[in-house]
Amino acid sequence: MAQRIAVLTGDLVDSRKASDPQRLFQALDTAIEAITARYGGQSERYRGDGFQIALPDPAAALPAAVLLRAALIRHSEERQRWDARIAVAIGRDPWQPGQRVTEASGEVFVRSGQTLDTMSEGTAHLALSLVEEPGSDCLALLTRFVDDLIDGWSRYAAEAVYLSLWHEESQQALAKRLGISQPSVHKRLRAARWALLDDYLRYLGQRFKDDPR
């Protein structure tokens, strides 16, 4: 029976230019493994720097995409920013969490791959596509704004966002985790536009929970 799922298809940006590709791919693999475990999904790496993640809960799609990008950016090299293009598609598919991603070929998987292909022709690093759902243009536009926001992150801002999403704890607790002051944490989160990002993720999470079609 078809259920509403999320598929994230992506690839690394300028991976061939990395001076330490082994560390870059290790950061990618570690992030993908942690994210799929957290949200109960399945993932595959392919074509060297490409990947696909299927998640049974659409509400987890954008937090997963942001976590993955934040994980890469926070581990960037001094002179090269690490990042990924990620195309998120949400739609109905018979895929189940125990099934390998490479065995799936439904419309939501195809749409995610096609969206990534179109992204490679421009500057976008994050895109959202809702399969067979009218009125999704506004969500895609919101996601373009968030993409632009993430593009401006420093390694420190990305780290603060990553840990805030992962642990969902207070700024005081985050400051203790990072070994810095609470005002410094606040400054990093403000630079990352965390309040706006958090509102966006909560809105989409609630939207996909309230609209299960």
Side-chain angles (χ1 to χ4, degrees):
M1 183 177 179
Q3 304 289 332
R4 204 157 179 249
I5 66 167
V7 177
L8 287 67
T9 306
D11 58 18
L12 293 173
V13 177
D14 293 332
S15 61
R16 295 181 180 180
K17 296 180 180 179
S19 61
D20 190 349
Q22 183 176 356
R23 194 169 74 86
L24 170 57
F25 286 115
Q26 182 179 4
L28 175 64
D29 289 337
T30 299
I32 290 175
E33 181 180 353
I35 288 166
T36 51
R38 181 184 181 97
Y39 296 115
Q42 290 285 341
S43 62
E44 297 283 348
R45 278 247 277 116
Y46 59 91
R47 293 185 303 182
D49 65 358
F51 57 87
Q52 191 165 64
I53 303 170
L55 301 175
D57 181 8
L62 274 306
V66 173
L67 276 170
L68 182 51
R69 289 189 63 188
L72 291 170
I73 296 169
R74 71 186 287 227
H75 290 299
S76 294
E77 296 176 334
E78 186 67 32
R79 297 184 179 180
Q80 188 203 23
R81 177 189 177 87
W82 291 352
D83 204 346
R85 284 179 288 263
I86 303 176
V88 180
I90 294 174
R92 299 184 69 83
D93 194 272
W95 176 85
Q96 297 294 323
Q99 180 182 358
R100 288 173 60 93
V101 173
T102 51
E103 297 172 355
S105 58
E107 174 63 23
V108 65
F109 287 88
V110 174
R111 176 71 68 84
S112 182
Q114 289 175 337
T115 303
L116 180 65
D117 289 340
T118 63
M119 291 168 64
S120 64
E121 301 170 0
T123 59
H125 290 158
L126 181 64
L128 173 64
S129 176
L130 275 60
V131 179
E132 297 180 355
E133 291 191 30
S136 61
D137 288 350
C138 61
L139 299 184
L141 181 59
L142 279 175
T143 303
R144 287 177 59 191
F145 277 101
V146 169
D147 182 21
D148 189 64
L149 179 155
I150 296 173
D151 282 345
W153 285 354
S154 67
R155 288 182 295 168
Y156 300 113
E159 181 178 49
V161 169
Y162 180 88
L163 294 175
S164 294
L165 279 172
W166 196 263
H167 298 286
E168 298 180 358
E169 58 191 8
S170 67
Q171 290 189 14
Q172 288 80 3
L174 184 57
K176 185 176 181 180
R177 185 181 299 277
L178 289 170
I180 59 177
S181 67
Q182 185 274 328
S184 294
V185 169
H186 177 76
K187 183 178 180 179
R188 293 181 184 185
L189 290 175
R190 185 176 61 183
R193 307 298 295 275
W194 166 248
L196 288 174
L197 176 63
D198 188 43
D199 284 348
Y200 162 83
L201 294 175
R202 290 181 185 277
Y203 169 72
L204 285 191
Q206 195 60 50
R207 162 79 153 69
F208 295 140
K209 285 184 182 298
D210 291 344
D211 185 14
R213 52 183 175 174

